[in-house]
Amino acid sequence: MKRFFKPVEKEGSSKKPSLSQPEKEEDVSLSNENKGEPSKFMTWNANSFLLRVKNNWPEFTKLVTSFDPDVIAIQEVRMPAAGLRGAPKNPGELKDDTNSSREEKQILMRALSSPPFANYRVWWSLADSKYAGTALIVKKCFQPKKIFFNLDRIASKHEPDGRVILAEFDTFRLLNTYAPNNGWKEEENSFPRRRKWDKRILEFVLQSSDKPLIWCGDLNVSHEEIDVSHPEFYSAAKQNGYVPPNKEDCGQPGFTLAERRRFGTILKEGKLIDAYRFLHKEKDMECGFSWSGNPIGKYRGKRMRIDYFIVSEQLKDRITACEMHGQGIELEGFYGSDHCPVTLELSQACPNSKQDEVSM
């Protein structure tokens, strides 16, 4: 979620991870080594995956080693898709047709070939430039049956800016999304774009009710007042004094009444549960937010919960833990990003029941 500041790190500096291995050929078929279904998940808006690898990788690696997730969903990869200038791009592959892009790709792939990531496989959905993009990193013993990169489940099609990766497992679907920012104005890439996105998400969840859903990522919305540190501040926020004509569009992107109501409709009509709020009913000013504003300036200490695990009601009784791993206004546990990782743990499904059977 890019709102108020950009990382100050230089992309050409810092230590590079070592231990290179060749990349695996793209293949989404079910692995013979599968050991049931994933039950431990992590989502993180990295705010440039390359910068995190260069500058924060040892600390993030410790978290991954400790939590041992089966699936890691990344947003804001911010690596360009493969393809020559002026030619069609391949959003599923990292750009490597220049010396600089080749070096950057090697840095990422070295990191993802080193422990503990050598036990995982990665899928990319990338924008044409260093903007947006998502990645899905799955343990090799839990490989999905199918992977899609769009909400329409059309083979080979990627959403604009690489905002979606959908993994189909035996008993559930996992949707990793980087929702577009609402913006401040009634412009093409602001309010209308977000309205269209929310409409498509609602259509997707309603059309996907045949199997439980785990929806995670940077959803760029704080549902209730409890989900922001300073509700009055965010409700009154303006950009350059501009006030939208529709009162419901006023305020901080991600905390307007219009966005929050649409998100509530998606949850209600899709019969979905906010896993974190299901377990944590009270406001937590220390560890209850996933995004934090710039520690310098008027957004210091201003925080929002915009990164989620949303699950189908059928999975509600299996939620054992959902935690945010950052705390405080100094961004401890954010690993260089302006977002902290969020994790979800589910208990194992009863072997005598089929999770994909929807109760009527």
Side-chain angles (χ1 to χ4, degrees), residues 36-228:
E37 297 280 77
S39 61
K40 299 179 73 176
F41 309 87
M42 178 182 291
T43 183
W44 185 36
N45 178 320
N47 193 18
S48 176
F49 204 29
L50 180 65
L51 286 176
R52 304 293 74 84
V53 167
K54 287 181 173 182
N55 301 317
N56 311 95
W57 204 239
E59 296 87 354
F60 181 64
T61 295
K62 285 181 183 178
L63 174 65
V64 171
T65 301
S66 172
F67 181 70
D68 192 28
D70 301 322
V71 178
I72 305 170
I74 302 291
Q75 304 86 44
E76 270 204 275
V77 171
R78 286 169 55 183
M79 289 291 288
L84 298 173
R85 181 179 295 180
K89 302 296 189 289
N90 179 359
E93 294 288 342
L94 296 164
K95 181 179 177 66
D96 64 356
D97 56 21
T98 64
N99 289 337
S100 60
S101 64
R102 200 155 32 244
E103 180 184 4
E104 291 175 347
K105 178 178 178 178
Q106 288 172 353
I107 291 170
L108 279 184
M109 298 318 296
R110 287 187 190 118
L112 294 173
S113 298
S114 304
F117 299 94
N119 295 323
Y120 294 79
R121 183 174 168 196
V122 60
W123 286 268
W124 308 97
S125 188
L126 306 169
D128 291 352
S129 61
K130 287 188 175 182
Y131 172 73
T134 52
L136 192 68
I137 305 169
V138 183
K139 275 187 178 176
K140 293 175 181 176
C141 61
F142 293 117
Q143 291 302 291
K145 295 170 66 178
K146 296 178 183 177
I147 292 282
F148 298 99
F149 303 96
N150 60 87
L151 294 172
D152 305 311
R153 283 179 271 181
I154 298 173
S156 302
K157 174 188 172 184
H158 287 249
E159 292 288 342
D161 302 325
R163 293 186 179 274
V164 169
I165 301 182
L166 174 65
E168 185 101 23
F169 292 93
D170 274 337
T171 63
F172 66 87
R173 295 185 180 95
L174 183 133
L175 177 65
N176 172 22
T177 66
Y178 175 39
N181 189 291
N182 190 58
W184 297 89
K185 296 183 178 182
E186 191 71 49
E187 297 175 338
E188 183 179 352
N189 286 328
S190 294
F191 298 163
R193 178 177 68 163
R194 183 56 189 256
R195 292 187 196 114
K196 182 179 179 181
W197 171 269
D198 289 341
K199 181 175 183 289
R200 292 189 63 216
I201 288 288
L202 177 59
E203 291 170 350
F204 170 82
V205 299
L206 293 177
Q207 294 167 4
S208 304
S209 59
D210 59 310
K211 187 180 286 191
L213 175 68
I214 299 174
W215 174 25
C216 68
D218 177 357
L219 308 192
N220 253 325
V221 62
S222 294
H223 188 203
E224 306 286 357
E225 289 195 355
I226 192 176
D227 297 315
V228 298

Side-chain angles (χ1 to χ4, degrees), residues 71 74 81 139 158 161 183 195 216 221 234 241 245 263 267 270 291-292 295 319 326-327 344 347:
V71 178
I74 302 291
K139 275 187 178 176
H158 287 249
D161 302 325
R195 292 187 196 114
C216 68
V221 62
Y234 284 122
F263 186 61
L267 298 186
W291 176 87
S292 184
I319 301 171
Q327 60 181 359
L344 170 72
S347 61

Side-chain angles (χ1 to χ4, degrees), residues 20-24 113:
S20 177
Q21 292 183 1
E23 294 177 57
K24 300 291 180 72
S113 298

